[in-house]
Amino acid sequence: MKTLSDLLAEGVAGRRVLVRADLNVPLDGDKITDDGRVRASVPTIKALADAGARVIVTAHLGRPKGEPDPKFSLAPAAARLGELLGTEVPLASDLVGPSATSVVGALTDGGVAMLENVRFDARETSKVDAERAELADELASFADAFVSDGFGVVHRKQASVYDVAQKLPAYVGGLVEAELKVLKKLTDDLERPYVVVLGGAKVSDKLGVIANLLSKVDKLLIGGGMAYTFLKAQGHEVGTSLLQEDQLDQVKGFLEEAGKRGVELVLPVDVLVTAEFGNVEHDVVGTDAIPADKMGLDIGPKSRELFASKLADARTVFWNGPMGVFEIETYSGGTRAVAEALVKSDAFTVVGGGDSAAAVRALGLPEDGFSHISTGGGASLEFLEGKELPGISVLES
């Protein structure tokens, strides 16, 4: 697999380089609420620009339905990238049309431009190979080389991730290369005890990774909305808490498997409950005493202490998913407790992207307190699940 360093060594002055970045940032209107992914994209783009390349950035934002939608425009990301680079980053008003052709044609050595949201074109996510290849051909016509630097999308077989890498000399960007090194350390070269903390809403999103991790971890800590399906599987009343009834048999199997393998599977022992989602008035109850008419929205103080104690002697930790509805301050304590335990830990600590990374920043915790904060939650989970990542395999081939 050729790297960004290889491309720079070949020389890029005057060459057009298409960079697939991950700029899928959360927005409040047209304001970015967490610019972590934009900041993460800067080193690769800056290295190319400083070396004299003409850099063309392609990315997506949100889930537009294969056609232009102003609320998903990359304009805020282009503006923020320009601020971070200290130069204007013009944004084409289309992806591969007249505006894109004009903007790319106007680039000079060291310049950076951005194409509009790649998902405004339905061919980007098409399941038909020929349709994706057609878009990839059009994107490739703009450039002399391709750099894959959007880790958050490498698990997708999409035109700007997978197909374009077959059309141009392709290289792995610095961000993706760094992410892969970290994840390989979690699978090939880890120190024990190895503890994984999983949270978030749905256990169904993490079935594969749980199944795979049960043969690898020493401890598995489960919080967030998904914990209530585990508690229900143990026979507890969970009230109106988030519950996936159709996953109960699968979860019972996980509990049995953990016992057979000697994996310590840790669940909350108390939770914050309320009668209505978002209501800040709440009670703290044991997980064996959740009222039938209330829902749990965060792990409780005893659970926070329990989870922190289970992390104290860890040598390697992977964390993906918040412990509660951290966006509401009242229910952010569990997520904060886990994050602070990792900051205090001497372990190699990896925050697995997505809401976990957003929570670290939203709660004002020091990013350098963690060994690594990933930019790709889904990609991280699929890697740990043992799945092939199309955006990586195409570079390796």
Side-chain angles (χ1 to χ4, degrees), residues 197-206 210 221-230 241-244 268 296-299 307 319-327 334-335 338 353-356 359 381:
V197 186
L198 295 178
K202 296 180 179 180
V203 68
S204 58
D205 293 339
K206 298 182 171 73
I210 293 172
L221 282 51
I222 304 288
M226 61 186 289
Y228 299 100
T229 302
F230 278 83
S241 306
L242 188 62
L243 173 65
Q244 290 187 280
L297 294 182
D298 193 15
I299 62 172
F307 281 27
W319 168 37
N320 179 278
M323 299 295 100
V325 187
F326 75 91
E327 298 89 345
T335 302
V338 167
D355 285 342
S356 309
L381 288 175

Side-chain angles (χ1 to χ4, degrees), residues 246-280:
D246 61 335
Q247 303 298 331
L248 285 172
D249 287 342
Q250 179 78 64
V251 168
K252 288 176 183 176
F254 288 151
L255 292 168
E256 292 173 5
E257 184 70 12
K260 290 177 184 176
R261 290 184 175 275
V263 172
E264 189 176 359
L265 198 156
V266 183
L267 295 172
V269 293
D270 62 346
V271 292
L272 275 57
V273 297
T274 187
E276 186 177 347
F277 184 86
N279 186 356
V280 296

Side-chain angles (χ1 to χ4, degrees), residues 107-121:
L107 274 174
T108 56
D109 294 1
V112 180
M114 190 179 297
L115 307 178
E116 188 51 286
N117 194 330
V118 70
R119 289 189 182 172
F120 284 178
D121 191 314

